[in-house]
Amino acid sequence: MTDRRLTLMAVHAHPDDEATGTGGVLARYAAEGIRTVLVTCTDGGCGDGPGGVKPGEPGHDPAAVALMRHQELEASCDVLKVSDLEMLGYADSGMMGWPSNDAPGSFWRTPVQEGAARLAELMRHYRPDVVVTYDENGFYGHPDHIQAHRITMAALEMTELTPKVYWTTAPRSMMQRFGEIMREFGEGMPEPDPAEAAALAEIGLPDDEITTWVDTTGFSGQKFDALAAHASQGENIFFLKMGKERFGALMGMETFVRVQDPTGATVPENDLFAGLR
């Protein structure tokens, strides 16, 4: 152990992903004096434009959307007290199957080794003790999330660093409750068809396969406010409909799978930095 400040690096795909999946740990560890580094891979240009206009519709300007989302990301980082924000600046690829997947400059189209080399430079600079990203399916199959996973794991191989490495996940028990709450707040949302229900049931992991449960209840207000900072995407951020109290009750625990660990810390664990302090 040294006097060097402990560092967490979270690698995310789009502006607002930092708040949804890791807002609690970013806020909690910042409050504990840990350096928090957020790497956002894309510009978010396939998000909603003013008035909720969608990509491909008249009035949707990806460059203007990207600028707006950059400003919202900075506001979110201020709320979460993120120490350092790094943006790789790749073009948002949109959802799987969209024409934007193959657009020049899209993150999905970028060679993994190219993106990984840029991320490896940041890893060598910040020397993170903990790295967090998505699993190989990007949690739910979004191409930019999958690509963020790929470049993160490739970047780690390019460096001499041996941080603890985690993939974000969700317990299946929580996903079931989440589905019920979505219908409760969904203003008459119908029951999902069997295919959608089956797909939802496959997201996340059985509770006993989750290695790391971090209680961030005390920071759920910051997490909610960080999501609210992404106001342009409010139509897509279902959680904001809950209000802070209900949000905190549902989203106060952030869960991960530990996939690399040089410390030998036992699992299940309740701290990403277990074995490091």
Side-chain angles (χ1 to χ4, degrees):
M1 301 296 289
T2 70
D3 292 333
R4 186 182 65 84
R5 188 180 180 188
L6 289 171
T7 299
L8 165 66
M9 175 180 282
V11 182
H12 281 291
H14 313 98
D16 77 24
D17 290 332
E18 80 292 338
T20 306
T22 55
V25 292
L26 287 170
R28 170 179 163 169
Y29 290 122
E32 293 178 8
I34 288 169
R35 187 178 198 175
T36 52
V37 180
L38 171 62
V39 180
T40 300
C41 297
T42 79
D43 60 11
C46 285
D48 287 357
V53 63
K54 307 297 182 186
E57 294 180 349
H60 187 280
D61 179 351
V65 171
L67 176 60
M68 175 174 58
R69 297 196 72 185
H70 188 173
Q71 294 167 345
E72 291 175 339
L73 178 60
E74 290 180 333
S76 172
C77 287
D78 286 344
V79 170
L80 297 173
K81 309 302 181 187
V82 168
S83 307
D84 300 270
L85 171 61
E86 298 283 354
M87 297 194 70
L88 298 186
Y90 291 107
D92 189 341
S93 308
M95 300 298 288
M96 191 67 81
W98 286 13
S100 50
N101 292 175
D102 296 318
S106 74
F107 190 38
W108 182 241
R109 183 173 169 174
T110 298
V112 169
Q113 294 302 303
E114 176 187 319
R118 294 182 60 196
L119 182 57
E121 287 186 23
L122 294 175
M123 289 180 173
R124 294 186 188 102
H125 175 72
Y126 289 107
R127 305 190 68 81
D129 302 280
V130 172
V131 173
V132 176
T133 192
Y134 315 101
D135 63 19
E136 57 267 90
N137 190 46
F139 186 60
Y140 69 98
H142 193 295
D144 286 333
H145 289 226
I146 294 170
Q147 189 76 329
H149 162 86
R150 290 173 177 171
I151 74 161
T152 301
M153 302 312 292
L156 287 164
E157 291 184 1
M158 291 178 177
T159 73
E160 77 288 359
L161 305 173
T162 57
K164 297 181 80 176
V165 179
Y166 294 89
W167 297 342
T168 57
T169 191
R172 293 267 170 83
S173 60
M174 190 276 281
M175 291 305 298
Q176 182 177 356
R177 293 200 306 276
F178 178 60
E180 295 167 355
I181 291 171
M182 281 185 69
R183 289 189 290 278
E184 176 186 339
F185 284 86
E187 300 174 359
M189 180 185 296
E191 290 287 328
D193 66 36
E196 290 177 344
L200 186 63
E202 290 301 312
I203 293 177
L205 289 172
D207 293 28
D208 61 1
E209 294 182 20
I210 292 173
T211 63
T212 311
W213 303 70
V214 184
D215 185 355
T216 61
T217 304
F219 302 91
S220 60
Q222 277 176 264
K223 182 173 178 175
F224 185 93
D225 289 343
L227 279 168
H230 296 281
S232 70
Q233 308 305 305
E235 180 181 328
N236 298 322
I237 302 176
F238 163 79
F239 303 106
L240 297 176
K241 298 180 181 179
M242 298 181 186
K244 278 191 178 180
E245 184 175 348
R246 190 70 178 271
F247 177 85
L250 182 69
M251 305 295 289
M253 183 73 69
E254 292 186 348
T255 50
F256 306 86
V257 174
R258 193 176 78 191
V259 295
Q260 179 175 301
D261 171 44
T263 72
T266 58
V267 293
E269 60 187 1
N270 60 11
D271 180 7
L272 297 179
F273 289 85
L276 292 170
R277 55 181 178 172

